[in-house]
Amino acid sequence: MGFGQFISKPEVDILIVTHRNIFQNSALESSRFSVEYAEQSAVIMLTASDMKKLQVENNGSVLLQNKWGKVVVRARQSEEEKEHNGVGYMVNSPWSNMLVSPETNGTGVPDFKKIKVTASSTEDEDVTVIPAAK
């Protein structure tokens, strides 16, 4: 056992806003389970400030978790001009869907747009694998 196991990793509360983009949509056309699709979809866009708080480099691994699930994705620095600290952007995908609350608040539809998570850096280099449908 090393001393490092007792040091907690920095955590940041993030509100994930999901969206669609043209690159992810074109990768989806070839295969939902392709490497290209994962490279476009298993990503959260964060501000430089939030990445610094998490002590994660561009394209580094982050663990996103809430009471409904957890997933490891890549963190990339957002290119938005306006700061959006505490808000992360992800494309709507199996990775973001693993964090969606099943609660519908009487609408019958879960809220896919505002997903509250805790983000932390992780030594796990591998993005969470989404099993292919059989």
Side-chain angles (χ1 to χ4, degrees):
M1 277 191 216
F3 180 72
Q5 74 185 34
F6 299 107
I7 299 172
S8 63
K9 295 188 187 295
E11 295 182 342
V12 176
D13 290 330
I14 299 288
L15 178 66
I16 297 174
V17 177
T18 60
H19 66 283
R20 290 260 183 222
N21 70 28
I22 193 165
F23 301 108
Q24 187 236 7
N25 281 342
S26 66
L28 178 59
E29 291 298 319
S30 63
S31 172
R32 183 177 300 255
F33 303 103
S34 70
V35 171
E36 181 185 12
Y37 180 76
E39 287 174 354
Q40 295 293 329
S41 303
V43 173
I44 185 165
M45 303 299 286
L46 298 170
T47 62
S49 175
D50 284 338
M51 290 180 69
K52 185 175 181 178
K53 288 177 195 172
L54 289 168
Q55 299 174 358
V56 66
E57 297 291 325
N58 200 37
N59 224 29
S61 298
V62 293
L63 172 65
L64 305 175
Q65 58 186 345
N66 59 22
K67 67 181 183 179
W68 298 286
K70 64 182 181 177
V71 64
V72 174
V73 297
R74 299 281 181 223
R76 294 196 184 135
Q77 187 171 329
S78 174
E79 296 176 3
E80 295 290 321
E81 290 181 23
K82 187 174 180 182
E83 282 290 311
H84 53 88
N85 293 333
V87 175
Y89 295 101
M90 288 183 75
V91 293
N92 189 4
S93 70
W95 290 270
S96 61
N97 288 346
M98 291 176 72
L99 303 165
V100 172
S101 166
E103 298 169 6
T104 65
N105 299 314
T107 66
V109 179
D111 191 354
F112 293 97
K113 289 287 182 190
K114 299 177 202 163
I115 307 167
K116 293 180 182 178
V117 300
T118 300
S120 59
S121 62
T122 180
E123 299 301 317
D124 188 353
E125 293 292 321
D126 296 328
V127 167
T128 299
V129 175
I130 304 297
K134 296 190 184 215

